[in-house]
Amino acid sequence: MALFAFFQTILLLVSLSLRTCQSEVLSEPLPLTPESLDVSINSAQRCLHLQWRVHSLAYHQELKMVFQIEISRINTSNVIWVDYYSTTVKWNQVLHWSWESELPLECATHFVRIRSRVDDARVPEPRFWSNWSSWKEVNEQNSLGHKASSVFPVDKLVEEGSNVTICYISRSHQNNVSCYLDGVRMHVEQLDPNVSAFHVNNVAFVRETGTNIFCEMDPKDDAGTVLFVSKVLEEPKDFSCETQDFKTLHCTWDPGSDTSLVRKQPYQSYTLFESFSGEKRLCEHKNWCDWQIAQDSQEMYNFTLVAENYLRKRSVNILFNLTHRGAHCGKVILPQYEDSLWI
């Protein structure tokens, strides 16, 4: 009898062990439809920022999931963008995703919806898409006020060589719309009865005060804006330092073309960073900067010169040894370049 009870206990333990192993392989969960979808707008950057949750996840559950996101323009049937976002989702987690529009958001109503699918190896095939969330409407035209007509973007700042989309909005139905870029007539596309748009590829620098954009229609209804085109910020060239008295390092460089504009940022600035001491200095001049030599017998200096404006920053690095160069410390050692575009 005791032997029978022993084997019965063993079988029970094996059964519990199998159930534990099987529990690590999840069954297909209930439909995990994204919920609480919220869309915020950054008009200046032409960005939609999405956030949502998956409420159906169990407490402390984590699953790999993929989300399909659709964006429509003007009406929900006009889908202009489809994207997939994969991530591991935790219980009660707020998820984020952003999209940048080539068209200013004021030019048209946008609609966003999202659905999800489990993409976790612990969940057996087949795996199905959830239902779509409801369409979320984004309408920046509500912020236009009572102006009869407008052109967007307003006083936009871009780099030379960029592509730009311009739109003209009128409260009345448009007829015979004409748009001009610095006096040159552009080919206009009708987006809806109240909105026209045109594209400028590889935009050129014309003048520091900006490039004029003007649109008009019949009956008389006109509006305009200014497109500010900055020259592309160049990386500093011929970056070097020297000292006459071992008290001050005089650093110089060639800044290249000036990107400053009369009525608009950016003015370009230069900053020296020294990594061994952790110190930095904003330079007062565009092509030279003085650095006080440390009095604690520091011989090695690792300088990074950062050039930046509102749109971009670039940097160049030199490793510098006072004792190797004598009284006149000269050219760059081991140059390294970095370039980043600010959005």
Side-chain angles (χ1 to χ4, degrees):
M1 187 70 179
L3 184 61
F4 175 76
F6 172 76
F7 280 115
Q8 194 174 34
T9 303
I10 293 296
L11 287 172
L12 179 61
L13 291 173
V14 170
S15 176
L16 289 173
S17 176
L18 286 173
R19 289 179 185 176
T20 302
C21 291
Q22 289 171 353
S23 67
E24 295 178 0
V25 178
L26 304 176
S27 61
E28 175 69 24
L30 294 173
L32 300 177
T33 303
E35 298 176 279
S36 304
L37 175 62
D38 182 66
V39 183
S40 58
I41 304 169
N42 185 331
S43 296
Q45 302 296 334
R46 308 185 316 280
C47 280
L48 298 181
H49 300 291
L50 280 61
Q51 67 176 42
W52 69 93
R53 296 175 186 265
V54 182
H55 293 304
S56 304
L57 277 177
Y59 182 65
H60 287 327
Q61 185 181 14
E62 292 186 15
L63 280 177
K64 291 181 180 178
M65 299 183 67
V66 58
F67 298 90
Q68 183 180 4
I69 303 163
E70 284 190 351
I71 298 177
S72 297
R73 181 177 289 154
I74 301 175
N75 56 66
T76 55
S77 62
N78 182 33
V79 176
I80 60 166
W81 190 270
V82 179
D83 210 341
Y84 296 86
Y85 170 56
S86 298
T87 188
T88 298
V89 183
K90 301 178 182 179
W91 174 80
N92 207 32
Q93 180 182 0
V94 179
L95 299 163
H96 300 269
W97 182 85
S98 295
W99 174 75
E100 181 180 351
S101 171
E102 86 287 351
L103 182 74
L105 295 175
E106 296 90 346
C107 301
T109 303
H110 289 78
F111 301 87
V112 182
R113 70 175 181 175
I114 184 170
R115 66 177 179 173
S116 64
R117 186 185 69 194
V118 174
D119 192 27
D120 199 301
R122 296 171 297 169
V123 176
E125 302 277 3
R127 304 170 194 147
F128 300 100
W129 285 105
S130 73
N131 293 327
W132 285 103
S133 68
S134 300
W135 284 105
K136 197 77 172 182
E137 180 177 334
V138 183
N139 188 355
E140 271 293 85
Q141 292 187 350
N142 294 331
S143 64
L144 301 184
H146 301 290
K147 294 181 65 175
S149 59
S150 302
V151 175
F152 291 95
V154 176
D155 297 346
K156 179 70 175 176
L157 173 63
V158 298
E159 278 188 329
E160 188 175 28
S162 301
N163 299 331
V164 183
T165 301
I166 311 293
C167 81
Y168 168 62
I169 304 173
S170 175
R171 294 297 183 186
S172 58
H173 284 202
Q174 296 184 3
N175 181 31
N176 296 329
V177 175
S178 300
C179 290
Y180 302 88
L181 178 72
D182 225 45
V184 178
R185 187 169 181 173
M186 308 300 293
H187 173 71
V188 175
E189 174 188 359
Q190 197 80 28
L191 299 184
D192 72 16
N194 301 97
V195 181
S196 298
F198 66 91
H199 306 279
V200 184
N201 294 324
N202 195 27
V203 63
F205 172 84
V206 177
R207 64 183 71 87
E208 291 183 356
T209 54
T211 302
N212 296 318
I213 296 172
F214 178 76
C215 293
E216 61 183 356
M217 60 177 284
D218 185 22
K220 192 67 173 178
D221 189 5
D222 53 45
T225 187
V226 177
L227 181 66
F228 292 93
V229 182
S230 166
K231 293 183 178 179
V232 178
L233 180 67
E234 299 180 33
E235 64 186 24
K237 299 179 180 64
D238 301 326
F239 178 31
S240 63
C241 301
E242 65 177 20
T243 181
Q244 300 282 348
D245 55 9
F246 285 92
K247 294 181 181 180
T248 302
L249 282 171
H250 182 65
C251 300
T252 61
W253 59 89
D254 176 5
S257 299
D258 187 2
T259 67
S260 301
L261 299 175
V262 174
R263 294 170 49 199
K264 195 77 171 175
Q265 291 181 337
Y267 81 94
Q268 60 195 66
S269 64
Y270 293 85
T271 306
L272 270 181
F273 295 87
E274 203 288 301
S275 63
F276 294 128
S277 64
E279 296 180 2
K280 68 177 180 179
R281 178 173 183 179
L282 180 63
C283 301
E284 298 179 2
H285 306 277
K286 292 183 178 181
N287 60 348
W288 66 271
C289 199
D290 284 343
W291 186 275
Q292 297 303 308
I293 294 175
Q295 300 303 310
D296 57 359
S297 302
Q298 179 180 344
E299 296 179 354
M300 296 295 297
Y301 291 82
N302 188 4
F303 282 123
T304 300
L305 175 64
V306 177
E308 60 184 294
N309 60 21
Y310 180 77
L311 296 169
R312 185 185 293 270
K313 68 177 179 179
R314 297 183 186 264
S315 64
V316 59
N317 174 266
I318 61 172
L319 185 64
F320 189 86
N321 191 322
L322 282 175
T323 60
H324 287 178
R325 294 293 180 176
H328 296 279
C329 303
K331 291 289 183 179
V332 176
I333 306 172
L334 302 176
Q336 298 175 352
Y337 305 101
E338 295 181 3
D339 179 22
S340 62
L341 185 65
W342 289 27
I343 303 300

